[in-house]
Amino acid sequence: MQIGFFNYGIAWVNKHGAYLYNGQSVSDILEKNGRLRISAWSDFIGTHPQIGYLPKTRQLMISRSASTDKDGDIYLFDLKTQSWAYGDTKIDDAAKQSNFINDKNGDLVYSQADGTIKK
C-alpha cells in the first residue's frame, strides 16, 4: 500500500482500490454510482504501487510498481473532473525507484536506484 498527502486530503492505493480521505469520509475513487471504473485494477497494481500528487494539474499519479517487475504504466486521476486516464510506459522501469515526492517547484520526482532523479 502506498499513501500520499496533498491539498484534498490523503490518498492511498492497494490491490483492492484507490481511496481518498478528505478529512470527513473515505471514498473509493475507483467506483462511481456503485460501478467499478477500472475493471482490471487488480491486474494493473504490482507488488509495490506508488501514488503521487501533481499540484499544478490537481491529479494523482499511480504507478504499477516501484520495482523492475512491471512495465512503467500509470493511471492519472483528475481531482477536478473525477476522471481516470491510462498512460502506457510513462515511467522508466529499468531500475527500482524511490517513493514519489514533490520538489520545491511542485513537480513530482523520484530517484532511481542508480541515483538518477526523474521528473
Side-chain angles (χ1 to χ4, degrees):
M1 177 172 65
Q2 179 67 35
I3 299 173
F5 304 89
F6 59 101
N7 298 12
Y8 289 84
I10 300 170
W12 68 96
V13 296
N14 59 34
K15 66 181 180 176
H16 303 291
Y19 306 92
L20 177 62
Y21 176 68
N22 64 9
Q24 306 276 325
S25 62
V26 174
S27 60
D28 183 347
I29 56 177
L30 279 180
E31 290 186 9
K32 185 173 184 178
N33 299 326
R35 298 187 72 195
L36 193 59
R37 298 166 85 182
I38 301 172
S39 60
W41 183 259
S42 61
D43 294 331
F44 168 77
I45 289 294
T47 54
H48 304 287
Q50 297 193 94
I51 187 168
Y53 179 55
L54 300 146
K56 295 175 184 175
T57 57
R58 295 185 184 163
Q59 294 174 319
L60 297 174
M61 185 171 85
I62 295 100
S63 74
R64 294 185 89 152
S65 182
S67 65
T68 58
D69 66 342
K70 295 297 177 185
D71 55 14
D73 295 351
I74 65 164
Y75 270 105
L76 286 176
F77 181 72
D78 191 298
L79 291 153
K80 295 175 290 186
T81 64
Q82 300 289 296
S83 61
W84 286 94
Y86 179 75
D88 188 13
T89 317
K90 298 297 182 184
I91 293 178
D92 184 0
D93 64 344
K96 291 184 179 180
Q97 301 124 24
S98 69
N99 290 339
F100 294 133
I101 64 164
N102 294 98
D103 67 11
K104 65 180 181 178
N105 299 319
D107 295 318
L108 194 65
V109 298
Y110 63 94
S111 174
Q112 291 186 315
D114 65 2
T116 305
I117 304 296
K118 297 283 189 161
K119 195 183 283 193

